[in-house]
Amino acid sequence: MADDSSSTFQAGQTALIVKIPEVERAVRGWRERLDPSARAGVPAHVTVLFPFLDESRMDVSVHSAIADTLHSHRAFDLRFERCGRLPEVLYLVPEPDMRLRQLTQAIADRWPETPPYGGRFSEVIPHLTVAQRQEPAVLDEVEADLLGDLPLTAHVSSVELIVHDGTKWQERASFALRE
């Protein structure tokens, strides 16, 4: 959920993310210091769609529709071999990223009123944010440290719905991909 600071998170906001616990050991310290979403309770992840529907719209039928949409996609593996950069952002590059893009597209197609990142970007680049709003020298330091832990691999078998409660992000539901 790059490009968002904890001060802009609002109660009732939701997101769909893919948790990547396999990279936590390598990125946790940096994320806690340099990524506002980590300080707000979001684990290492790749965003599928943020912002999603407001929590007030979440009901059994929405959960069922999310489950149906996501269950049509197969579980998959990712590899993190390198870092990437956006302005003031350092991230781990998930490869291959096509399945992540397909998840985002499927959810965005089903709920066109919730374009990824509010429609701010012409292309959504799947990424696992490690540091944001940092000077290049800081990003260089973080990248040099992370390269010693790469490559890392992960198995993606679900997508999590998280909700901001006004203070922290909380996981509310998990939706399985097809194995």
Side-chain angles (χ1 to χ4, degrees):
M1 295 177 5
D3 303 319
D4 292 292
S5 72
S6 58
S7 63
T8 63
F9 297 142
Q10 298 176 14
Q13 278 185 314
T14 69
L16 291 167
I17 66 169
V18 170
K19 292 192 303 188
I20 311 289
E22 296 90 340
V23 306
E24 280 288 356
R25 183 190 57 76
V27 302
R28 179 180 292 130
W30 291 117
R31 289 188 69 244
E32 287 175 356
R33 286 180 40 216
L34 304 174
D35 181 5
S37 72
R39 291 190 300 275
V42 182
H45 70 283
V46 177
T47 300
V48 172
L49 200 134
F50 172 81
F52 189 49
L53 300 172
D54 188 84
E55 182 181 29
S56 65
R57 294 187 55 195
M58 292 293 163
D59 60 19
V60 172
S61 66
V62 170
H63 280 239
S64 179
I66 295 169
D68 289 347
T69 301
L70 294 174
H71 193 68
S72 67
H73 294 266
R74 295 191 73 81
F76 56 95
D77 292 326
L78 291 174
R79 188 166 171 91
F80 298 88
E81 296 182 351
R82 62 189 175 93
C83 295
R85 302 241 182 141
L86 296 168
E88 300 181 330
V89 175
L90 177 78
Y91 62 91
L92 295 180
V93 177
E95 295 175 315
D97 71 1
M98 184 54 64
R99 296 273 184 87
L100 294 163
R101 290 176 185 272
Q102 290 169 342
L103 292 174
T104 297
Q105 192 62 53
I107 295 293
D109 286 349
R110 175 63 180 80
W111 288 276
E113 70 274 27
T114 63
Y117 300 104
R120 291 186 294 169
F121 307 106
S122 59
E123 179 185 10
V124 175
I125 299 170
H127 61 282
L128 190 150
T129 300
V130 178
Q132 59 179 306
R133 293 192 169 90
Q134 302 299 314
E135 296 296 320
V138 173
L139 299 181
D140 291 343
E141 176 188 357
V142 176
E143 183 172 3
D145 180 66
L146 289 174
L147 290 176
D149 289 319
L150 301 180
L152 296 166
T153 59
H155 182 69
V156 176
S157 59
S158 64
V159 173
E160 280 61 49
L161 171 68
I162 60 173
V163 178
H164 197 268
D165 66 9
T167 303
K168 293 278 189 192
W169 287 93
Q170 307 286 333
E171 184 176 323
R172 292 290 165 83
S174 182
F175 302 96
L177 301 177
R178 201 167 22 98
E179 285 292 336

